[in-house]
Amino acid sequence: MSTSEPPDWPHCAQDADPAADPVGCRGIHVPGHTACLAHLADADRDAYLAGLTPGASIDHRGTTFTEPLLTALLDALRAPASGHPHLGDASFDSATFQGNARFVSATFEGDAWFVSATFQGDAWFESATFEGDAWFESSTFEGDAWFGSSTFEGDAWFGSATFQGDAWFESATFQGDAEFESATFQGNARFESSTFQGDAEFGSATFQGDAWFESSTFQGDAEFGSATFQGVVVFGSSTFQGDAEFGSSTFQGGVVFGSSTFQGDVEFGSATFQGDAWFGSTVFEGGAWFGSATFQGNARFESSTFQGNARFESAVFQGNARFGSAVFEGDAEFGSATFQGNARFESSTFQGNARFESSTFVEADEFGPLVCAGRLVLSGARFGGPVTLSGAMRRLECRRTRWSSTAEIRLRYATVDFAHAVFEYPLTIAAEPDPFMLTDGQPLAEDSLPSAYDPGVRVASLRGVDAAHLVLADLDLWECLFTGTVHLDQLRLEGACTFNTAPTGMHWRRWPPVRFTERRVLAEEHHWRASRPGAVQGWVPSTGRAAGPLQLAPVYRALRKAFEDGKHEPGAADFYYGEMEMRRHADDIPRSERGLLTAYWALSGYGLRASRALAWLGTAMLLTIVLLMAFGLAQDDPKQTATGTVPAGGGKVTFEIDKDDPQNPSGNRFTGERFEKALNVTLNSVVFRSSGQDLTTAGTYIEMGSRLTEPVLLGLGVLAIRNRVKR
């Protein structure tokens, strides 16, 4: 029902001034008369009022009421028992109340119609009871409007109403829907401790003063979409049992929702908070949507609890964003959010995933320490200033994350993925051995992470990273992917960084059996070897495409240099071994070079396996001894023979001394004496010394071969020992 236009009911023609008002008095005729109550003759008015009884229906649309006239009307409707007015259906549409309108403790047993009414003084409806619907649409309250402790058993309609003074609805009860859409509150709006059992509609309403909803209860849906709050807004300790809609609302002053409870979903999408927004200790039992909201002041969510999903995608925090000790039981979505001030998440707990993809942190200097039982996703995020990120979490994803200043990342329990991350200044990733300490001196609670989890930190990938400014400390690199990392030789490894190892022991997959010596290897070598036909057990396969030797050789070479620069020679030796293995298996080397590398590997493990070189040395010496005993030593020591001619007349005698050629043995060749001689020859050949023994022709060649090969094997063994023990 709308009466913004001149009413179409029979109106009073009294005091009409065509020049000023061509319609005249808009008051509806009193039944049986041709004038409104205001223009009725005194005798007729008295007779009409005397005929009214409590609970009677009245119709005074368009009538102008002075304060005495309204008092007389309500006195005629007072119930003797209570002394309060009782009205049936009451129609006051387009009525004008020139003085104070006192409906205190009145009972409207039917519908109450005040559409387009004008209250030029204060409007008093305190403790009034509206048993039917109450219509105040497009009404104007030029003074204060008092509805404290009123009860609206039906629907209450205040759409497009204008409250030029304060609007008092403290402790009011709206059992039906409360409709305030497009209403204007030029003064303060007081709804403290009000109860909205139906839906509360405040869409597009304008609050020019302060708005107080503290301790109110919204049992139905609360609709504040596109509302404008120019003053302070207080919803502290309120309860929203249905859904709450604040989308596109504008809060020009501060807003307080502290200790409120949202049992349904709450929507603040595209809302603008120009002042500080206080949500401390608020409980969001349903979903909380703040997508595209703008917080120009500080946003405070300390100790809040989000039992459903919390969505802050594309939100803009121009001030500080404080989520200290907040609990996110569902997923927390901050994708594409902008944090221009500090982002405080100290002691926050994320029981689900926390997603900050493509978010921007302009000045954040501290992020954490926090706890995340799921994934903390910072992929595509940007950090503009120095920052320390710390926390205990299952997984940290920083794919294509950009760090424009120095950063320190200290973690527990986490698996870290830094694929294609970009950092222009030194960045440190370190494992924290003990629980983080908070500013109050208490340790960070890690209850959401089961105690069975390993508190160590694992790196999943560094692919595509420029490692020139990267420092890794005390990290598990067993599953880390390195292919595609640039400047890997400048990577700094501090503390106890551990790598994967080769499967040790003898593997009888085919003949000859394969035995791998324990050494540091890359996870990608595991993937490559596991993908080869006939791979032995122990090599871990990859779920994707495995890198080959051509890609792995430079990775091993760069890591070897990084270990050498860090004065960790044993570690460098393992990566040199891996480099040589990848070169031996690569497809881009000539067959001759591969054969040479294979021999180098077989004889001494690329100069790193002392046991292998010494085993070959022992085998060569034993073979030399056996060959010398069989073919190289003469049967007997050759006898020297002196021959000469004595001149007949005396004089100088000339002798020729010769030795018999050593003879091959014809009897038992493997005797203790012959073994001792063969051992002496072999040992001397190892150190390039002549044995001094008379050897057969075959023995001479055997000794020459021994003096060529065995010192080389000895040198390889010594080199391998040195490579394993030097610092």
PDB file of all heavy atoms in Angstrom, residues 306 308-311 328-334 349-357 370-378 393-397:
ATOM      1  N   PHE A 306      36.314 -19.347  12.566  1.00  0.00           N
ATOM      2  CA  PHE A 306      35.617 -19.584  11.304  1.00  0.00           C
ATOM      3  C   PHE A 306      35.379 -21.090  11.200  1.00  0.00           C
ATOM      4  O   PHE A 306      36.284 -21.848  10.845  1.00  0.00           O
ATOM      5  CB  PHE A 306      36.458 -19.091  10.124  1.00  0.00           C
ATOM      6  CG  PHE A 306      36.731 -17.609  10.119  1.00  0.00           C
ATOM      7  CD1 PHE A 306      37.797 -17.085  10.836  1.00  0.00           C
ATOM      8  CD2 PHE A 306      35.915 -16.737   9.415  1.00  0.00           C
ATOM      9  CE1 PHE A 306      38.059 -15.723  10.839  1.00  0.00           C
ATOM     10  CE2 PHE A 306      36.168 -15.373   9.405  1.00  0.00           C
ATOM     11  CZ  PHE A 306      37.237 -14.867  10.129  1.00  0.00           C
ATOM     12  N   GLY A 308      33.113 -22.574   9.236  1.00  0.00           N
ATOM     13  CA  GLY A 308      32.939 -22.901   7.823  1.00  0.00           C
ATOM     14  C   GLY A 308      34.092 -22.344   7.019  1.00  0.00           C
ATOM     15  O   GLY A 308      35.144 -21.983   7.553  1.00  0.00           O
ATOM     16  N   ASN A 309      33.908 -22.267   5.729  1.00  0.00           N
ATOM     17  CA  ASN A 309      34.944 -21.695   4.874  1.00  0.00           C
ATOM     18  C   ASN A 309      34.963 -20.174   5.022  1.00  0.00           C
ATOM     19  O   ASN A 309      33.922 -19.527   5.129  1.00  0.00           O
ATOM     20  CB  ASN A 309      34.700 -22.065   3.410  1.00  0.00           C
ATOM     21  CG  ASN A 309      34.874 -23.553   3.157  1.00  0.00           C
ATOM     22  OD1 ASN A 309      35.631 -24.216   3.847  1.00  0.00           O
ATOM     23  ND2 ASN A 309      34.169 -24.080   2.168  1.00  0.00           N
ATOM     24  N   ALA A 310      36.155 -19.609   5.017  1.00  0.00           N
ATOM     25  CA  ALA A 310      36.336 -18.156   5.100  1.00  0.00           C
ATOM     26  C   ALA A 310      36.911 -17.685   3.774  1.00  0.00           C
ATOM     27  O   ALA A 310      37.987 -18.124   3.365  1.00  0.00           O
ATOM     28  CB  ALA A 310      37.263 -17.791   6.251  1.00  0.00           C
ATOM     29  N   ARG A 311      36.207 -16.796   3.117  1.00  0.00           N
ATOM     30  CA  ARG A 311      36.595 -16.377   1.776  1.00  0.00           C
ATOM     31  C   ARG A 311      36.886 -14.876   1.778  1.00  0.00           C
ATOM     32  O   ARG A 311      35.999 -14.057   2.037  1.00  0.00           O
ATOM     33  CB  ARG A 311      35.498 -16.719   0.771  1.00  0.00           C
ATOM     34  CG  ARG A 311      35.068 -18.196   0.816  1.00  0.00           C
ATOM     35  CD  ARG A 311      34.010 -18.487  -0.220  1.00  0.00           C
ATOM     36  NE  ARG A 311      34.587 -18.440  -1.554  1.00  0.00           N
ATOM     37  CZ  ARG A 311      35.056 -19.506  -2.201  1.00  0.00           C
ATOM     38  NH1 ARG A 311      35.035 -20.695  -1.616  1.00  0.00           N
ATOM     39  NH2 ARG A 311      35.554 -19.395  -3.406  1.00  0.00           N
ATOM     40  N   PHE A 328      40.632 -21.160  11.881  1.00  0.00           N
ATOM     41  CA  PHE A 328      39.923 -21.437  10.633  1.00  0.00           C
ATOM     42  C   PHE A 328      39.723 -22.950  10.558  1.00  0.00           C
ATOM     43  O   PHE A 328      40.652 -23.705  10.255  1.00  0.00           O
ATOM     44  CB  PHE A 328      40.728 -20.955   9.427  1.00  0.00           C
ATOM     45  CG  PHE A 328      40.972 -19.466   9.390  1.00  0.00           C
ATOM     46  CD1 PHE A 328      42.033 -18.901  10.090  1.00  0.00           C
ATOM     47  CD2 PHE A 328      40.145 -18.631   8.665  1.00  0.00           C
ATOM     48  CE1 PHE A 328      42.270 -17.539  10.059  1.00  0.00           C
ATOM     49  CE2 PHE A 328      40.363 -17.259   8.631  1.00  0.00           C
ATOM     50  CZ  PHE A 328      41.429 -16.718   9.332  1.00  0.00           C
ATOM     51  N   GLU A 329      38.499 -23.404  10.865  1.00  0.00           N
ATOM     52  CA  GLU A 329      38.234 -24.836  10.867  1.00  0.00           C
ATOM     53  C   GLU A 329      37.993 -25.355   9.458  1.00  0.00           C
ATOM     54  O   GLU A 329      38.211 -26.532   9.184  1.00  0.00           O
ATOM     55  CB  GLU A 329      37.044 -25.146  11.775  1.00  0.00           C
ATOM     56  CG  GLU A 329      37.299 -24.785  13.243  1.00  0.00           C
ATOM     57  CD  GLU A 329      36.117 -25.110  14.126  1.00  0.00           C
ATOM     58  OE1 GLU A 329      35.135 -25.705  13.625  1.00  0.00           O
ATOM     59  OE2 GLU A 329      36.164 -24.763  15.327  1.00  0.00           O
ATOM     60  N   GLY A 330      37.514 -24.521   8.568  1.00  0.00           N
ATOM     61  CA  GLY A 330      37.375 -24.889   7.163  1.00  0.00           C
ATOM     62  C   GLY A 330      38.529 -24.317   6.362  1.00  0.00           C
ATOM     63  O   GLY A 330      39.577 -23.964   6.902  1.00  0.00           O
ATOM     64  N   ASP A 331      38.342 -24.221   5.058  1.00  0.00           N
ATOM     65  CA  ASP A 331      39.373 -23.627   4.216  1.00  0.00           C
ATOM     66  C   ASP A 331      39.319 -22.105   4.322  1.00  0.00           C
ATOM     67  O   ASP A 331      38.249 -21.514   4.481  1.00  0.00           O
ATOM     68  CB  ASP A 331      39.177 -24.040   2.756  1.00  0.00           C
ATOM     69  CG  ASP A 331      39.492 -25.512   2.531  1.00  0.00           C
ATOM     70  OD1 ASP A 331      40.197 -26.090   3.372  1.00  0.00           O
ATOM     71  OD2 ASP A 331      39.026 -26.075   1.523  1.00  0.00           O
ATOM     72  N   ALA A 332      40.479 -21.484   4.231  1.00  0.00           N
ATOM     73  CA  ALA A 332      40.591 -20.019   4.248  1.00  0.00           C
ATOM     74  C   ALA A 332      41.102 -19.572   2.889  1.00  0.00           C
ATOM     75  O   ALA A 332      42.196 -19.967   2.469  1.00  0.00           O
ATOM     76  CB  ALA A 332      41.527 -19.564   5.356  1.00  0.00           C
ATOM     77  N   GLU A 333      40.302 -18.774   2.209  1.00  0.00           N
ATOM     78  CA  GLU A 333      40.631 -18.334   0.852  1.00  0.00           C
ATOM     79  C   GLU A 333      40.979 -16.846   0.864  1.00  0.00           C
ATOM     80  O   GLU A 333      40.130 -15.998   1.139  1.00  0.00           O
ATOM     81  CB  GLU A 333      39.443 -18.584  -0.085  1.00  0.00           C
ATOM     82  CG  GLU A 333      38.966 -20.031  -0.137  1.00  0.00           C
ATOM     83  CD  GLU A 333      39.858 -20.901  -0.994  1.00  0.00           C
ATOM     84  OE1 GLU A 333      40.720 -20.318  -1.705  1.00  0.00           O
ATOM     85  OE2 GLU A 333      39.717 -22.127  -0.959  1.00  0.00           O
ATOM     86  N   PHE A 334      42.242 -16.526   0.547  1.00  0.00           N
ATOM     87  CA  PHE A 334      42.700 -15.138   0.439  1.00  0.00           C
ATOM     88  C   PHE A 334      43.281 -14.864  -0.947  1.00  0.00           C
ATOM     89  O   PHE A 334      44.115 -13.984  -1.107  1.00  0.00           O
ATOM     90  CB  PHE A 334      43.761 -14.849   1.500  1.00  0.00           C
ATOM     91  CG  PHE A 334      43.241 -14.751   2.912  1.00  0.00           C
ATOM     92  CD1 PHE A 334      43.075 -15.886   3.683  1.00  0.00           C
ATOM     93  CD2 PHE A 334      42.907 -13.525   3.462  1.00  0.00           C
ATOM     94  CE1 PHE A 334      42.592 -15.819   4.986  1.00  0.00           C
ATOM     95  CE2 PHE A 334      42.424 -13.434   4.761  1.00  0.00           C
ATOM     96  CZ  PHE A 334      42.267 -14.583   5.523  1.00  0.00           C
ATOM     97  N   THR A 349      45.379 -20.546  13.578  1.00  0.00           N
ATOM     98  CA  THR A 349      45.315 -21.980  13.316  1.00  0.00           C
ATOM     99  C   THR A 349      44.418 -22.229  12.116  1.00  0.00           C
ATOM    100  O   THR A 349      43.254 -21.828  12.110  1.00  0.00           O
ATOM    101  CB  THR A 349      44.774 -22.743  14.529  1.00  0.00           C
ATOM    102  OG1 THR A 349      45.640 -22.533  15.652  1.00  0.00           O
ATOM    103  CG2 THR A 349      44.692 -24.231  14.237  1.00  0.00           C
ATOM    104  N   PHE A 350      44.977 -22.889  11.102  1.00  0.00           N
ATOM    105  CA  PHE A 350      44.218 -23.266   9.914  1.00  0.00           C
ATOM    106  C   PHE A 350      44.095 -24.793   9.931  1.00  0.00           C
ATOM    107  O   PHE A 350      45.071 -25.502   9.685  1.00  0.00           O
ATOM    108  CB  PHE A 350      44.936 -22.816   8.642  1.00  0.00           C
ATOM    109  CG  PHE A 350      45.102 -21.324   8.514  1.00  0.00           C
ATOM    110  CD1 PHE A 350      46.202 -20.684   9.063  1.00  0.00           C
ATOM    111  CD2 PHE A 350      44.155 -20.561   7.848  1.00  0.00           C
ATOM    112  CE1 PHE A 350      46.364 -19.315   8.948  1.00  0.00           C
ATOM    113  CE2 PHE A 350      44.306 -19.188   7.726  1.00  0.00           C
ATOM    114  CZ  PHE A 350      45.407 -18.563   8.286  1.00  0.00           C
ATOM    115  N   GLN A 351      42.900 -25.275  10.243  1.00  0.00           N
ATOM    116  CA  GLN A 351      42.702 -26.718  10.263  1.00  0.00           C
ATOM    117  C   GLN A 351      42.498 -27.283   8.867  1.00  0.00           C
ATOM    118  O   GLN A 351      42.666 -28.476   8.651  1.00  0.00           O
ATOM    119  CB  GLN A 351      41.522 -27.062  11.166  1.00  0.00           C
ATOM    120  CG  GLN A 351      41.737 -26.654  12.621  1.00  0.00           C
ATOM    121  CD  GLN A 351      40.577 -27.009  13.517  1.00  0.00           C
ATOM    122  OE1 GLN A 351      39.650 -27.713  13.110  1.00  0.00           O
ATOM    123  NE2 GLN A 351      40.599 -26.515  14.744  1.00  0.00           N
ATOM    124  N   GLY A 352      42.135 -26.452   7.928  1.00  0.00           N
ATOM    125  CA  GLY A 352      42.051 -26.854   6.531  1.00  0.00           C
ATOM    126  C   GLY A 352      43.170 -26.210   5.743  1.00  0.00           C
ATOM    127  O   GLY A 352      44.273 -25.985   6.255  1.00  0.00           O
ATOM    128  N   ASN A 353      42.917 -25.900   4.496  1.00  0.00           N
ATOM    129  CA  ASN A 353      43.901 -25.245   3.650  1.00  0.00           C
ATOM    130  C   ASN A 353      43.808 -23.728   3.800  1.00  0.00           C
ATOM    131  O   ASN A 353      42.728 -23.170   4.000  1.00  0.00           O
ATOM    132  CB  ASN A 353      43.683 -25.625   2.185  1.00  0.00           C
ATOM    133  CG  ASN A 353      43.876 -27.105   1.931  1.00  0.00           C
ATOM    134  OD1 ASN A 353      44.751 -27.731   2.518  1.00  0.00           O
ATOM    135  ND2 ASN A 353      43.060 -27.683   1.061  1.00  0.00           N
ATOM    136  N   ALA A 354      44.945 -23.071   3.676  1.00  0.00           N
ATOM    137  CA  ALA A 354      45.008 -21.600   3.675  1.00  0.00           C
ATOM    138  C   ALA A 354      45.592 -21.180   2.334  1.00  0.00           C
ATOM    139  O   ALA A 354      46.761 -21.464   2.042  1.00  0.00           O
ATOM    140  CB  ALA A 354      45.867 -21.093   4.827  1.00  0.00           C
ATOM    141  N   ARG A 355      44.794 -20.519   1.532  1.00  0.00           N
ATOM    142  CA  ARG A 355      45.180 -20.215   0.154  1.00  0.00           C
ATOM    143  C   ARG A 355      45.350 -18.706  -0.014  1.00  0.00           C
ATOM    144  O   ARG A 355      44.414 -17.936   0.197  1.00  0.00           O
ATOM    145  CB  ARG A 355      44.138 -20.755  -0.819  1.00  0.00           C
ATOM    146  CG  ARG A 355      43.807 -22.237  -0.610  1.00  0.00           C
ATOM    147  CD  ARG A 355      42.821 -22.728  -1.646  1.00  0.00           C
ATOM    148  NE  ARG A 355      43.440 -22.762  -2.956  1.00  0.00           N
ATOM    149  CZ  ARG A 355      44.059 -23.824  -3.473  1.00  0.00           C
ATOM    150  NH1 ARG A 355      44.140 -24.943  -2.766  1.00  0.00           N
ATOM    151  NH2 ARG A 355      44.591 -23.784  -4.670  1.00  0.00           N
ATOM    152  N   PHE A 356      46.549 -18.313  -0.411  1.00  0.00           N
ATOM    153  CA  PHE A 356      46.883 -16.902  -0.655  1.00  0.00           C
ATOM    154  C   PHE A 356      47.415 -16.733  -2.080  1.00  0.00           C
ATOM    155  O   PHE A 356      48.279 -15.896  -2.324  1.00  0.00           O
ATOM    156  CB  PHE A 356      47.937 -16.427   0.342  1.00  0.00           C
ATOM    157  CG  PHE A 356      47.450 -16.311   1.765  1.00  0.00           C
ATOM    158  CD1 PHE A 356      47.396 -17.423   2.585  1.00  0.00           C
ATOM    159  CD2 PHE A 356      47.037 -15.089   2.285  1.00  0.00           C
ATOM    160  CE1 PHE A 356      46.951 -17.332   3.896  1.00  0.00           C
ATOM    161  CE2 PHE A 356      46.601 -14.981   3.594  1.00  0.00           C
ATOM    162  CZ  PHE A 356      46.551 -16.107   4.405  1.00  0.00           C
ATOM    163  N   GLU A 357      46.918 -17.496  -3.041  1.00  0.00           N
ATOM    164  CA  GLU A 357      47.422 -17.387  -4.402  1.00  0.00           C
ATOM    165  C   GLU A 357      47.275 -15.963  -4.931  1.00  0.00           C
ATOM    166  O   GLU A 357      46.234 -15.334  -4.776  1.00  0.00           O
ATOM    167  CB  GLU A 357      46.675 -18.330  -5.355  1.00  0.00           C
ATOM    168  CG  GLU A 357      46.859 -19.792  -5.063  1.00  0.00           C
ATOM    169  CD  GLU A 357      45.645 -20.373  -4.371  1.00  0.00           C
ATOM    170  OE1 GLU A 357      45.020 -19.652  -3.570  1.00  0.00           O
ATOM    171  OE2 GLU A 357      45.326 -21.529  -4.636  1.00  0.00           O
ATOM    172  N   LEU A 370      52.305 -19.420  12.621  1.00  0.00           N
ATOM    173  CA  LEU A 370      50.957 -19.945  12.539  1.00  0.00           C
ATOM    174  C   LEU A 370      51.014 -21.461  12.405  1.00  0.00           C
ATOM    175  O   LEU A 370      52.077 -22.048  12.214  1.00  0.00           O
ATOM    176  CB  LEU A 370      50.198 -19.317  11.367  1.00  0.00           C
ATOM    177  CG  LEU A 370      50.837 -19.383   9.978  1.00  0.00           C
ATOM    178  CD1 LEU A 370      50.546 -20.707   9.279  1.00  0.00           C
ATOM    179  CD2 LEU A 370      50.368 -18.246   9.106  1.00  0.00           C
ATOM    180  N   VAL A 371      49.834 -22.084  12.510  1.00  0.00           N
ATOM    181  CA  VAL A 371      49.719 -23.529  12.375  1.00  0.00           C
ATOM    182  C   VAL A 371      48.729 -23.812  11.255  1.00  0.00           C
ATOM    183  O   VAL A 371      47.634 -23.241  11.233  1.00  0.00           O
ATOM    184  CB  VAL A 371      49.245 -24.191  13.681  1.00  0.00           C
ATOM    185  CG1 VAL A 371      49.028 -25.687  13.477  1.00  0.00           C
ATOM    186  CG2 VAL A 371      50.250 -23.952  14.797  1.00  0.00           C
ATOM    187  N   CYS A 372      49.123 -24.669  10.319  1.00  0.00           N
ATOM    188  CA  CYS A 372      48.250 -25.035   9.206  1.00  0.00           C
ATOM    189  C   CYS A 372      48.302 -26.549   9.039  1.00  0.00           C
ATOM    190  O   CYS A 372      49.338 -27.100   8.656  1.00  0.00           O
ATOM    191  CB  CYS A 372      48.671 -24.325   7.924  1.00  0.00           C
ATOM    192  SG  CYS A 372      47.597 -24.687   6.514  1.00  0.00           S
ATOM    193  N   ALA A 373      47.178 -27.204   9.357  1.00  0.00           N
ATOM    194  CA  ALA A 373      47.131 -28.657   9.238  1.00  0.00           C
ATOM    195  C   ALA A 373      47.015 -29.108   7.790  1.00  0.00           C
ATOM    196  O   ALA A 373      47.241 -30.281   7.489  1.00  0.00           O
ATOM    197  CB  ALA A 373      45.957 -29.214  10.048  1.00  0.00           C
ATOM    198  N   GLY A 374      46.665 -28.196   6.890  1.00  0.00           N
ATOM    199  CA  GLY A 374      46.581 -28.509   5.469  1.00  0.00           C
ATOM    200  C   GLY A 374      47.701 -27.834   4.707  1.00  0.00           C
ATOM    201  O   GLY A 374      48.858 -27.838   5.123  1.00  0.00           O
ATOM    202  N   ARG A 375      47.354 -27.233   3.582  1.00  0.00           N
ATOM    203  CA  ARG A 375      48.337 -26.568   2.725  1.00  0.00           C
ATOM    204  C   ARG A 375      48.261 -25.063   2.911  1.00  0.00           C
ATOM    205  O   ARG A 375      47.172 -24.485   2.917  1.00  0.00           O
ATOM    206  CB  ARG A 375      48.087 -26.908   1.254  1.00  0.00           C
ATOM    207  CG  ARG A 375      48.288 -28.364   0.889  1.00  0.00           C
ATOM    208  CD  ARG A 375      48.104 -28.550  -0.610  1.00  0.00           C
ATOM    209  NE  ARG A 375      46.769 -28.121  -1.036  1.00  0.00           N
ATOM    210  CZ  ARG A 375      46.469 -27.741  -2.276  1.00  0.00           C
ATOM    211  NH1 ARG A 375      47.403 -27.698  -3.205  1.00  0.00           N
ATOM    212  NH2 ARG A 375      45.238 -27.389  -2.590  1.00  0.00           N
ATOM    213  N   LEU A 376      49.408 -24.439   3.041  1.00  0.00           N
ATOM    214  CA  LEU A 376      49.516 -22.983   2.986  1.00  0.00           C
ATOM    215  C   LEU A 376      50.012 -22.646   1.590  1.00  0.00           C
ATOM    216  O   LEU A 376      51.155 -22.928   1.235  1.00  0.00           O
ATOM    217  CB  LEU A 376      50.475 -22.463   4.052  1.00  0.00           C
ATOM    218  CG  LEU A 376      50.751 -20.952   4.025  1.00  0.00           C
ATOM    219  CD1 LEU A 376      49.457 -20.167   4.208  1.00  0.00           C
ATOM    220  CD2 LEU A 376      51.773 -20.559   5.085  1.00  0.00           C
ATOM    221  N   VAL A 377      49.135 -22.046   0.788  1.00  0.00           N
ATOM    222  CA  VAL A 377      49.433 -21.810  -0.623  1.00  0.00           C
ATOM    223  C   VAL A 377      49.739 -20.328  -0.830  1.00  0.00           C
ATOM    224  O   VAL A 377      48.885 -19.470  -0.624  1.00  0.00           O
ATOM    225  CB  VAL A 377      48.257 -22.247  -1.512  1.00  0.00           C
ATOM    226  CG1 VAL A 377      48.619 -22.054  -2.983  1.00  0.00           C
ATOM    227  CG2 VAL A 377      47.898 -23.704  -1.240  1.00  0.00           C
ATOM    228  N   LEU A 378      50.966 -20.041  -1.226  1.00  0.00           N
ATOM    229  CA  LEU A 378      51.394 -18.674  -1.546  1.00  0.00           C
ATOM    230  C   LEU A 378      51.821 -18.562  -3.008  1.00  0.00           C
ATOM    231  O   LEU A 378      52.536 -17.637  -3.373  1.00  0.00           O
ATOM    232  CB  LEU A 378      52.551 -18.265  -0.633  1.00  0.00           C
ATOM    233  CG  LEU A 378      52.202 -18.061   0.847  1.00  0.00           C
ATOM    234  CD1 LEU A 378      53.467 -17.932   1.682  1.00  0.00           C
ATOM    235  CD2 LEU A 378      51.324 -16.840   1.039  1.00  0.00           C
ATOM    236  N   MET A 393      53.291 -26.455   9.568  1.00  0.00           N
ATOM    237  CA  MET A 393      52.274 -26.750   8.560  1.00  0.00           C
ATOM    238  C   MET A 393      52.634 -28.031   7.829  1.00  0.00           C
ATOM    239  O   MET A 393      53.785 -28.478   7.851  1.00  0.00           O
ATOM    240  CB  MET A 393      52.153 -25.590   7.579  1.00  0.00           C
ATOM    241  CG  MET A 393      53.426 -25.294   6.815  1.00  0.00           C
ATOM    242  SD  MET A 393      53.476 -23.614   6.140  1.00  0.00           S
ATOM    243  CE  MET A 393      53.596 -22.630   7.634  1.00  0.00           C
ATOM    244  N   ARG A 394      51.632 -28.622   7.175  1.00  0.00           N
ATOM    245  CA  ARG A 394      51.884 -29.837   6.413  1.00  0.00           C
ATOM    246  C   ARG A 394      52.602 -29.544   5.105  1.00  0.00           C
ATOM    247  O   ARG A 394      53.477 -30.300   4.689  1.00  0.00           O
ATOM    248  CB  ARG A 394      50.555 -30.552   6.128  1.00  0.00           C
ATOM    249  CG  ARG A 394      49.901 -31.184   7.329  1.00  0.00           C
ATOM    250  CD  ARG A 394      50.742 -32.337   7.878  1.00  0.00           C
ATOM    251  NE  ARG A 394      51.086 -33.294   6.867  1.00  0.00           N
ATOM    252  CZ  ARG A 394      50.276 -34.265   6.432  1.00  0.00           C
ATOM    253  NH1 ARG A 394      49.072 -34.376   6.958  1.00  0.00           N
ATOM    254  NH2 ARG A 394      50.668 -35.110   5.503  1.00  0.00           N
ATOM    255  N   ARG A 395      52.206 -28.482   4.427  1.00  0.00           N
ATOM    256  CA  ARG A 395      52.795 -28.204   3.116  1.00  0.00           C
ATOM    257  C   ARG A 395      52.764 -26.702   2.853  1.00  0.00           C
ATOM    258  O   ARG A 395      51.773 -26.033   3.150  1.00  0.00           O
ATOM    259  CB  ARG A 395      52.034 -28.945   2.015  1.00  0.00           C
ATOM    260  CG  ARG A 395      52.677 -28.828   0.626  1.00  0.00           C
ATOM    261  CD  ARG A 395      51.942 -29.682  -0.393  1.00  0.00           C
ATOM    262  NE  ARG A 395      52.541 -29.586  -1.718  1.00  0.00           N
ATOM    263  CZ  ARG A 395      53.553 -30.329  -2.166  1.00  0.00           C
ATOM    264  NH1 ARG A 395      54.065 -31.260  -1.378  1.00  0.00           N
ATOM    265  NH2 ARG A 395      54.031 -30.191  -3.383  1.00  0.00           N
ATOM    266  N   LEU A 396      53.847 -26.191   2.289  1.00  0.00           N
ATOM    267  CA  LEU A 396      53.955 -24.788   1.890  1.00  0.00           C
ATOM    268  C   LEU A 396      54.224 -24.755   0.392  1.00  0.00           C
ATOM    269  O   LEU A 396      55.244 -25.277  -0.067  1.00  0.00           O
ATOM    270  CB  LEU A 396      55.068 -24.082   2.652  1.00  0.00           C
ATOM    271  CG  LEU A 396      55.395 -22.651   2.204  1.00  0.00           C
ATOM    272  CD1 LEU A 396      54.190 -21.736   2.406  1.00  0.00           C
ATOM    273  CD2 LEU A 396      56.610 -22.106   2.947  1.00  0.00           C
ATOM    274  N   GLU A 397      53.318 -24.141  -0.360  1.00  0.00           N
ATOM    275  CA  GLU A 397      53.466 -24.059  -1.807  1.00  0.00           C
ATOM    276  C   GLU A 397      53.754 -22.606  -2.191  1.00  0.00           C
ATOM    277  O   GLU A 397      52.945 -21.717  -1.927  1.00  0.00           O
ATOM    278  CB  GLU A 397      52.203 -24.553  -2.510  1.00  0.00           C
ATOM    279  CG  GLU A 397      51.934 -26.033  -2.264  1.00  0.00           C
ATOM    280  CD  GLU A 397      50.711 -26.532  -3.010  1.00  0.00           C
ATOM    281  OE1 GLU A 397      50.124 -25.727  -3.783  1.00  0.00           O
ATOM    282  OE2 GLU A 397      50.342 -27.704  -2.815  1.00  0.00           O
TER     283      GLU A 397
END
